[in-house]
Amino acid sequence: MKKSHIITLLIVLFSMVLTQAQDLVKYDYLEIIVIQKMNNSGKIKRIKVEEQPSLIGKLITIKEIEALKETSTLLNYMNSNNWEFVDRKAITELNNPIWMSYLFRKRK
C-alpha cells in the first residue's frame, strides 16, 4: 500500500515538472509604421503608431515614438525600453514614399 502511494506521488510530481517545462513564453507585439522618402538614408518623413493593446501600461508612448526622426533612433529607443526587433516589411512604389512596418515584441 505504501509503495503505491509513493509511486502515485512520484508520478504527480513528475507530471508537474513536465507541465511547467512546457509553458510558452508570452509576448506583447507592437507594429510601428515608418514613412520615408526614397533614397533618404534613414531619415523619417513620418512615424505612425495606432492605439494597440500592447501599449497599455507600458513606459513608452505614441507621442514619444512619433517624435523620432531617424530609423536608427527608433531602433535604439525601442531597444532601450526592452522591445526586441522582430521583422520589417517595406511597401514601395515608384516615385512614392516608402512605407515600412516595423514589428517589435516584449516579454509579458
Side-chain angles (χ1 to χ4, degrees), residues 27-42:
Y27 293 98
D28 278 333
Y29 287 91
L30 177 64
E31 182 181 23
I32 298 175
I33 304 296
V34 176
I35 304 163
Q36 286 181 223
K37 291 183 179 177
M38 292 286 258
N39 300 325
N40 207 358
S41 66

Side-chain angles (χ1 to χ4, degrees), residues 18-33:
L18 283 179
T19 57
Q20 288 180 354
Q22 293 178 357
D23 283 344
L24 296 176
V25 178
K26 296 183 180 170
Y27 293 98
D28 278 333
Y29 287 91
L30 177 64
E31 182 181 23
I32 298 175
I33 304 296

Side-chain angles (χ1 to χ4, degrees), residues 3-107:
K3 283 186 179 182
S4 65
H5 287 288
I6 293 173
I7 291 174
T8 305
L9 180 64
L10 288 175
I11 290 172
V12 169
L13 289 175
F14 184 70
S15 65
M16 287 174 44
V17 169
L18 283 179
T19 57
Q20 288 180 354
Q22 293 178 357
D23 283 344
L24 296 176
V25 178
K26 296 183 180 170
Y27 293 98
D28 278 333
Y29 287 91
L30 177 64
E31 182 181 23
I32 298 175
I33 304 296
V34 176
I35 304 163
Q36 286 181 223
K37 291 183 179 177
M38 292 286 258
N39 300 325
N40 207 358
S41 66
K43 299 276 186 190
I44 294 175
K45 184 175 178 183
R46 182 173 170 228
I47 293 179
K48 182 179 179 183
V49 182
E50 296 180 357
E51 288 287 335
Q52 298 174 39
S54 57
L55 283 173
I56 297 172
K58 302 295 187 295
L59 296 176
I60 63 174
T61 64
I62 292 174
K63 285 185 179 182
E64 288 175 341
I65 296 171
E66 290 180 344
L68 301 173
K69 300 295 179 198
E70 295 177 341
T71 53
S72 62
T73 309
L74 170 66
L75 294 171
N76 286 330
Y77 175 79
M78 296 303 285
N79 189 35
S80 66
N81 285 290
N82 297 321
W83 284 86
E84 179 184 354
F85 174 75
V86 177
D87 192 20
R88 179 184 78 179
K89 294 188 181 185
I91 301 171
T92 59
E93 294 178 9
L94 196 57
N95 298 327
N96 284 332
I98 300 171
W99 289 66
M100 290 188 288
S101 170
Y102 284 83
L103 189 61
F104 296 90
R105 72 179 177 188
K106 184 172 187 164
R107 191 177 285 222

